[in-house]
Amino acid sequence: MSVTAEHKNTKVTVQVMRKMKAAGEKISMLTAYDFTMAGLLDQAGVDAILVGDSAGNVMAGYDTTLPVTLEQIIYHGASVRRGVKRALLVVDMPFGTCCGNPYESLSNAVAIMKGTGAEALKIEGGEELLQDIKKIIAAGIPVMGHLGLMPQSVHQYGGFGLRAKSDTEAEKLKRDALLLQEAGCFAITLEKVPASLAGEIAASLSIPIIGIGAGGRVDGQVLVVQDMLGMNRDFSPKFVRKYADLSFAITQAVSGYISDVKSLEFPSAEESY
Ligand code: KIV
């Protein structure tokens, strides 16, 4: 029996995620930012739900995740919490809140944990943030690392392209991943790196590697839910598979509503008091 089938009616915890990697069972993770979507994903049985700072893109319409504040992630996290029973709930630390000052980072981490009811935090960064990450883990907070393309560093890269193409960057990535495991991270998200490199890292570490644009040889996958549901016609990167065309479905439904309102088809007598 698979680890998640065995734990079907119990919470997915960081320990369950470790067991899943050990058993070779792939981990499914999706983002959510609100109560309704979180409930749907949880009922469908997704293993982990990430309240990503991609909220800045898909909820607020910013070009980057940089404007997302501590208060905003807490609002989204608390909303998602109320919809989630089974999945592991992970919340992102927004840009500037895990910042090279371990005491300030811990204080921000505690604020997110208290304000949302999250079970883990995700932090973008490797060696440079190791002291902050260790301080947060020492306080009892499970941390998921995030390496490869780190969208909070977009201005350093000059865009959202593939990372770790050069040997130097690939070596740093491997070193950072090992350091995060040694620091006590329970998992790492690996974004937009060559599949062979991601597979090598997943095979060499004992903690789960959750990929996005990192190929199929990792321990699990994460996607932004609006992307995989096809809610944004203008965003179709290679690594996104669209499992629905909600952009079309929603536009059709809203057109039907508009037409019924204009033609007095809605509301009917049955829909009136
Ligand atoms: O913010 C986010 O949604 C993320 C995922 C894309 C991994 O970090």
Side-chain angles (χ1 to χ4, degrees), residues 31 33 50 52-54 92 122 124 146 189 191 212 222 224:
T31 64
Y33 317 98
L50 170 68
D53 60 358
S54 50
D92 256 344
K122 180 164 78 57
E124 290 183 18
H146 183 148
T189 292
E191 181 163 354
I212 172 164
V222 55
V224 169

Side-chain angles (χ1 to χ4, degrees), residues 70 74 93 97 102-118 121 135-136 139-141:
L70 198 63
I74 289 174
M93 288 197 73
T97 65
Y103 290 96
E104 197 178 325
S105 299
L106 176 60
S107 154
N108 291 332
V110 168
I112 299 175
M113 294 299 284
K114 280 184 188 287
T116 62
L121 300 178
K135 190 105 200 133
I136 292 168
I141 301 171

